[in-house]
Every structure is written in structure tokens, then in C-alpha cells.
Amino acid sequence: MKILVIGGSYFLGKAFVNKAKDLHELTVFNRGNRPLNLSGVEEVIGDRTVHDSLLPLAGRSFDAVVDFCAYSKGDIESVYKALSGQFKQYIFISTCDIYQRGLGRMLDETAPLEIRDFGGEAGAYIMGKVDLEQELLLCANKYANAWTSIRPAFIYGPDNYAPRESIYFTWISQAGQIIHPQDANGEFQMTYVEDVALAIHNAIANEKAYNQAYNLAPTTMENYDSFADALSVVFKGAFEKVAVDVQTVNEKGIPLPFPLTKEESNYYDGSKALDLIGHYTTLAEGLKKTAPMSYQDYIDEIERLFDENKAKEAEGFMLRALNKARVENNMAFELQMLNELIGYYRQTSEKDKLVEIMTASIAVADKMGLMSSQDGKVAYATTALNVANGYRSIADLENSKKYYAVVQSIYDETLDSHDMLLAGFYNNMSLFYQEHGDIKEAMDYQLKALDIVSFNEAGFETAVTYANLANTAFLLGNKTGDYSKSEEYAKEAIRRFEERNLYDAHYCAAVSALGLCLFNKKEYEQARDLFQKGMNIVENSLGQNSQYLRLKENRDMCISAIASLQ
């Protein structure tokens, strides 16, 4: 769908754009102060408060308009006029602050709106949003469009410009302490930014969301104690709570971000929005994704997510870590994340992203001058091997051969004959020769790798090598008619993986080899079940990538064979 985004370059808007960019055709209109520079996203620079600034959008039509930065009366009407209402739905990002204060009850979307101006910047913000809620209805009625109002409570998350959770992060990082108002009885609701972005995304072209307002407010009420508890989970208790009373906070003007008393508190019913998001992110989960992370924190979290087969979430952390390294000019960690991403995109078969990351990794390795020292050469070879494997996975055998030659040259110069790095290299060279059709050479390389991993008693690597041997032996069996070696290797690989409770793409490669052996023995039902098992594992961890499609093709082959016997 074609979506016009007003704003969209920071915090909530940026979270939405990142969520929607791969699924929709986005045009982002803003002042251009923070260019997104995202592939496939059109950026139009302008300020709707300036006369004729919206003219570049005139005559264009969209499926939806998502407005993140309407604050003053006339902001919504100006967009309607510029587009002559040529869109189906207007989604306005409002706020729970529009409701009347002091009602002493849980406020749903039908609660009365505030009519009092409390003065100052906050008062102007509230009254502006109230005016725009009414303007939205009038414009939608005039142009016969659908409207949706998204009304979040306190939003928090990465890139939050409001001084809320970031105050605490600063206190913890700089002093190992937080100021804690021990007698505060105020309550508040905190909504993770990705939940709001998801609600907006799921409201687009959703007829159930037409002409509806949604409070985005978790059912769990927070207070200063529960907030400190959530921080303790995130930072593993590595800070001290400095207790103060509310009177001291007020007298000293300590900038605490949430209501201190019941009288200041407001309560919003966000249950309706569950139809859009399913569930709210807990405060501890959201703060964990928001808090500044050390490089080791990123590595630990990425490893945990892969261990739990949450590869898509791991991708997000790797990209965040990559950005952190680039901002801080930490080229060593940047290269580490680039290497991790090469492996990820190779497995997910995302060719364009893979080529982009591989190109960047070689550029960083060259910039670091790794080839000028012995240890640096080995590190360079690691990157070159990942790049060679990446090019092999997209059938670019010329570039693959080029980087394998680089690795071979470095390893010949720097490693002894039983080094585990050589085993990994031999395994990958065997796959290269398989794809060249030289099965005997491929088998020779794998047997060399098996000698090394066995010598080093490397459990996981031995299992991977047996899986590779199983598939290579199967190819030899296609020439000789003897699949016994392939079956033997596959069963050994599966046994070793299952001993370690490892069910990943390598395990599925062994499962696939055994399934093919059983198919050739006409044990079709057992083969079908193995292929289905592999499909389930790959889909749950990496999605429907090329390995999944190969497994599916083999499973369907078994189903056809079974049907032909009936």
C-alpha cells in the first residue's frame, strides 16, 4: 500500500517507518533535519506550517496518511487540503493527555476531553491535541474518509527524546545510583514504543479500526517501586536506591518524570488496543530493549536469542550493535557484527542485504590494516572466509573462489596442520567443490576436516563435519547406487547434535541427508516425517528460506511417492 508519513524520522515515527518500510510504499514528509536514508523510502522535505510547503504532495493519492507531528489547530486540515482528501484513512497520533483530569476513574476512549488550558508548554500541547481530535472528525466527515486516533500513555523506548527512562540510565551509568521517592504513591502507565508502532501498522486499512480511537496503555499500573524493580532486572541490581521523600523532591526540584501522588495520577483503559497488538510488552522487557548496552551485553543477548531459536530478534540486536559500533568508531566490534550478519543473511537467503554486508566487512577489514600483522592476518582470513561462503551461497562462484584463495594463502602462512580454523576452511572448501560438481575433491576436504576436529575432540564441529560428509556421500551414492555411507554419516551427525540438544540448520542438513537415503530405500513415510521435521525447525528459527524450500520439495516428493503406492 502507499502510505504518506508526516514526521517519521525520530522515536515513534522512526519505529513505525522501520516496521512498515519492507511491507509498504512509504513517502515521508518532514523538515529533513534527520534524514532516514532508507532504501525504498521516498523523503519529501517540507514544513506544513509554511505556505505552499505541501505542494509537492498535491495531486498524489495514498491508501493512508499517518501523522506523527500534528500539534496545533490547522495541522490536519492543511494535509487534507493539499491532497484534496485523496486517501482512504487518516491515522492521527494523539495522546491520553487529551482526557479530562481528576475524574478519579479508569478512562476509556469515550471519556470527555479536557477543556481547561493549564498554561505553559504542556497546556498548549494538550489543548492542541484536543483541537486536532475535533478537526480530524470534521475533515474526515467533509471528505468522506476513515479516521483512526492513536492515544498512547507515557511512551518509552530506544531514541526517546522525552527525559523519562533516560534520566535513570544516566544516574546508573554515572553514579551507580537512582533517586527513589520512597513515600510516592503516584501511579502511571508506560507503553513501549514498538507496541505503539505495531498498533499503528495494524490499524492501516483495517476496517475494524476505521472511525475508532485507541488508548495505548498497559493494564498494569506502575509506580516508583515497580519501576525501580524493573530497572533492577535490567541492570541486575547493580545500582543503589537513594531514598528521599516527596517533599524533598519538590523543594529541590529533582526532575523525576512520573506522577508523585495519587492526585496527579490518571488511569487509562488500553484494553481495546489489544485487538491491534495482542499483548503489551512488560516494563522490564521494554526497558531491557531500551537501556544502553555494553558490547558484551549485545554479544550475550545475541547468543541467547540464537540459542532460543529467535533469529529474527537477534538480527535486530546485531543491527543495533552495528550502529553503536559505527557511532562510537569501534571498528573491531563493527567487524565482529558484520561477520555475524553475514552468517545470518546467508542462512535467511537475503541476497541484497548479504552483498551489502559482505562489501562493508571487507572495507572495514582493509581500513583496520589487519594484513600488517600475524594475528591481524588470521582475523582478516576469518572475514574473507565468511565472505567466500556468502558468495558461494548466492552462486557467485567467481567471487567465492577469489576469497577462498585469500584464506588459503593466509592459513598456509600462519597455521599449523591441526588448527581448528583449518577444519572450518576444509569443510567450506568441500561445499565449494560440491557446487563445482567435483564430489571426490569435496569428500577429500571433508575427511581432512574430520581428522582435525577428531584430533581436537571438538564435539559440535565434529557433528557438523559428519553432516557435511552425509550429504557429500549421498551425491557419490547417486553415481554408485550405494547410499550406506551417507546413511551412516547422517545418523552419526544426528546422534551428536541430539546429545548436545542442538537443532539448527546443520542438524537439518543431516536430517535431510538421512531422509534422502530412506527415500532411495523406498521408506517413504519415514523420509517424509524427517523432511517435515527439518522444515519445522528451519521455519521456526529462520523462516521459509532456501533450505526450507529444499526440504519442502523433498517432503512433497515423498508424499507423491506414497500416493502412487495407494
Side-chain angles (χ1 to χ4, degrees), residues 50-315:
V50 176
H51 181 65
D52 290 343
S53 185
L54 288 162
L55 280 179
L57 301 176
R60 300 179 61 174
S61 61
F62 298 91
D63 293 290
V65 175
V66 182
D67 194 342
F68 289 95
C69 58
Y71 299 113
S72 303
K73 189 173 182 179
D75 282 353
I76 290 177
E77 185 180 16
S78 66
V79 179
Y80 267 92
K81 286 182 177 179
L83 295 174
S84 301
Q86 295 300 303
F87 50 86
K88 298 175 183 177
Q89 181 187 18
Y90 201 105
I91 299 178
F92 168 47
I93 312 307
S94 186
T95 172
C96 280
D97 283 337
I98 62 172
Y99 297 116
Q100 282 188 22
R101 282 158 171 68
L103 295 179
R105 62 180 172 85
M106 189 71 72
L107 305 177
D108 65 15
E109 290 81 359
T110 65
L113 304 189
E114 188 58 78
I115 58 175
R116 296 163 293 179
D117 187 343
F118 296 98
E121 186 176 333
Y125 171 79
I126 293 168
M127 296 315 297
K129 290 290 188 180
V130 170
D131 287 341
L132 288 166
E133 288 275 355
Q134 296 164 350
E135 186 174 298
L136 176 65
L137 299 184
L138 290 172
C139 288
N141 183 61
K142 178 180 178 180
Y143 289 91
N145 301 119
W147 61 269
T148 306
S149 178
I150 302 293
R151 302 169 178 172
F154 286 122
I155 309 179
Y156 71 102
D159 298 323
N160 189 4
Y161 48 79
R164 293 172 185 153
E165 66 277 8
S166 61
I167 293 173
Y168 287 85
F169 298 157
T170 299
W171 286 341
I172 292 170
S173 64
Q174 294 185 0
Q177 299 176 332
I178 66 169
I179 296 171
H180 186 66
Q182 58 185 353
D183 58 340
N185 60 3
E187 294 182 298
F188 44 92
Q189 289 152 288
M190 297 189 67
T191 311
Y192 184 54
V193 64
E194 291 290 343
D195 291 349
V196 186
L198 178 62
I200 298 165
H201 183 267
N202 290 345
I204 295 172
N206 179 351
E207 293 187 3
K208 292 181 179 179
Y210 285 178
N211 307 324
Q212 298 292 321
Y214 293 91
N215 294 339
L216 266 292
T219 54
T220 302
M221 300 299 301
E222 305 295 346
N223 54 47
Y224 278 94
D225 286 336
S226 66
F227 186 79
D229 289 343
L231 286 172
S232 186
V233 171
V234 174
F235 290 96
K236 300 179 175 62
F239 61 87
E240 175 188 0
K241 289 193 293 186
V242 178
V244 297
D245 55 39
V246 170
Q247 182 178 346
T248 301
V249 171
N250 289 328
E251 288 176 351
K252 294 189 175 182
I254 299 172
L256 294 180
F258 309 116
L260 291 163
T261 66
K262 287 277 190 184
E263 291 72 25
E264 298 173 275
S265 304
N266 295 287
Y267 306 94
Y268 308 111
D269 181 355
S271 59
K272 182 178 177 182
L274 291 172
D275 290 341
L276 296 178
I277 64 174
H279 70 278
Y280 286 100
T281 300
T282 67
L283 181 58
E285 290 171 337
L287 287 175
K288 186 172 185 179
K289 296 175 182 178
T290 305
M293 297 175 70
S294 69
Y295 292 117
Q296 188 58 49
D297 287 337
Y298 276 107
I299 293 170
D300 292 344
E301 183 66 9
I302 291 164
E303 289 179 352
R304 181 188 70 79
L305 289 168
F306 276 124
D307 287 344
E308 295 178 4
N309 291 322
K310 297 178 180 178
K312 193 63 183 173
E313 291 183 43
E315 179 197 11

Side-chain angles (χ1 to χ4, degrees), residues 365-422:
D366 287 337
K367 190 174 181 180
M368 291 174 67
L370 294 178
M371 291 295 285
S372 62
S373 68
Q374 190 84 343
D375 290 340
K377 287 179 181 178
V378 174
Y380 192 97
T382 298
T383 297
L385 181 57
N386 287 333
V387 170
N389 292 336
Y391 278 118
R392 193 194 74 236
S393 73
I394 57 176
D396 185 344
L397 297 182
E398 181 178 348
N399 270 314
S400 181
K401 184 177 182 180
K402 168 186 170 183
Y403 284 103
Y404 280 132
V406 171
V407 178
Q408 179 80 68
S409 173
I410 293 172
Y411 283 177
D412 285 348
E413 177 186 344
T414 60
L415 302 181
D416 67 53
S417 61
H418 288 108
D419 196 293
M420 284 292 294
L421 291 174
L422 270 178

Side-chain angles (χ1 to χ4, degrees), residues 244-525:
V244 297
D245 55 39
V246 170
Q247 182 178 346
T248 301
V249 171
N250 289 328
E251 288 176 351
K252 294 189 175 182
I254 299 172
L256 294 180
F258 309 116
L260 291 163
T261 66
K262 287 277 190 184
E263 291 72 25
E264 298 173 275
S265 304
N266 295 287
Y267 306 94
Y268 308 111
D269 181 355
S271 59
K272 182 178 177 182
L274 291 172
D275 290 341
L276 296 178
I277 64 174
H279 70 278
Y280 286 100
T281 300
T282 67
L283 181 58
E285 290 171 337
L287 287 175
K288 186 172 185 179
K289 296 175 182 178
T290 305
M293 297 175 70
S294 69
Y295 292 117
Q296 188 58 49
D297 287 337
Y298 276 107
I299 293 170
D300 292 344
E301 183 66 9
I302 291 164
E303 289 179 352
R304 181 188 70 79
L305 289 168
F306 276 124
D307 287 344
E308 295 178 4
N309 291 322
K310 297 178 180 178
K312 193 63 183 173
E313 291 183 43
E315 179 197 11
F317 271 89
M318 286 187 285
L319 290 171
R320 284 175 60 189
L322 179 62
N323 184 62
K324 174 183 173 69
R326 285 172 170 170
V327 168
E328 297 177 0
N329 197 31
N330 187 329
M331 285 192 291
F333 192 69
E334 180 182 0
L335 185 59
Q336 184 177 355
M337 285 301 102
L338 287 168
N339 278 308
E340 292 286 347
L341 284 162
I342 290 172
Y344 174 77
Y345 290 131
R346 183 162 59 89
Q347 291 194 337
T348 58
S349 307
E350 296 178 75
K351 180 178 178 179
D352 291 344
K353 291 181 179 179
L354 175 59
V355 171
E356 178 184 348
I357 292 295
M358 289 191 297
T359 302
S361 69
I362 291 298
V364 172
D366 287 337
K367 190 174 181 180
M368 291 174 67
L370 294 178
M371 291 295 285
S372 62
S373 68
Q374 190 84 343
D375 290 340
K377 287 179 181 178
V378 174
Y380 192 97
T382 298
T383 297
L385 181 57
N386 287 333
V387 170
N389 292 336
Y391 278 118
R392 193 194 74 236
S393 73
I394 57 176
D396 185 344
L397 297 182
E398 181 178 348
N399 270 314
S400 181
K401 184 177 182 180
K402 168 186 170 183
Y403 284 103
Y404 280 132
V406 171
V407 178
Q408 179 80 68
S409 173
I410 293 172
Y411 283 177
D412 285 348
E413 177 186 344
T414 60
L415 302 181
D416 67 53
S417 61
H418 288 108
D419 196 293
M420 284 292 294
L421 291 174
L422 270 178
F425 176 66
Y426 290 153
N427 264 319
N428 286 295
M429 283 300 296
S430 72
L431 296 174
F432 175 80
Y433 279 107
Q434 274 188 37
E435 290 169 27
H436 266 296
D438 191 340
I439 308 304
K440 186 178 182 307
E441 189 74 14
M443 180 68 81
D444 288 344
Y445 268 107
Q446 285 168 2
L447 291 172
K448 287 181 182 179
L450 185 62
D451 285 342
I452 295 173
V453 294
S454 298
F455 178 85
N456 287 281
E457 298 181 352
F460 171 74
E461 289 79 4
T462 302
V464 171
T465 304
Y466 273 115
N468 292 338
L469 279 164
N471 282 283
T472 306
F474 181 83
L475 295 175
L476 283 176
N478 285 337
K479 295 181 177 181
T480 64
D482 180 7
Y483 298 99
S484 59
K485 268 296 183 185
S486 177
E487 184 172 347
E488 175 188 335
Y489 288 141
K491 287 180 177 178
E492 181 63 17
I494 290 169
R495 181 185 70 80
R496 289 173 178 269
F497 281 122
E498 291 180 348
E499 274 183 356
R500 292 162 178 79
N501 199 32
L502 291 172
Y503 301 92
D504 60 3
H506 299 294
Y507 174 82
C508 292
V511 164
S512 178
L514 181 57
L516 289 169
C517 291
L518 293 176
F519 180 87
N520 279 284
K521 292 169 66 176
K522 299 185 178 181
E523 296 177 14
Y524 301 132
E525 292 186 356

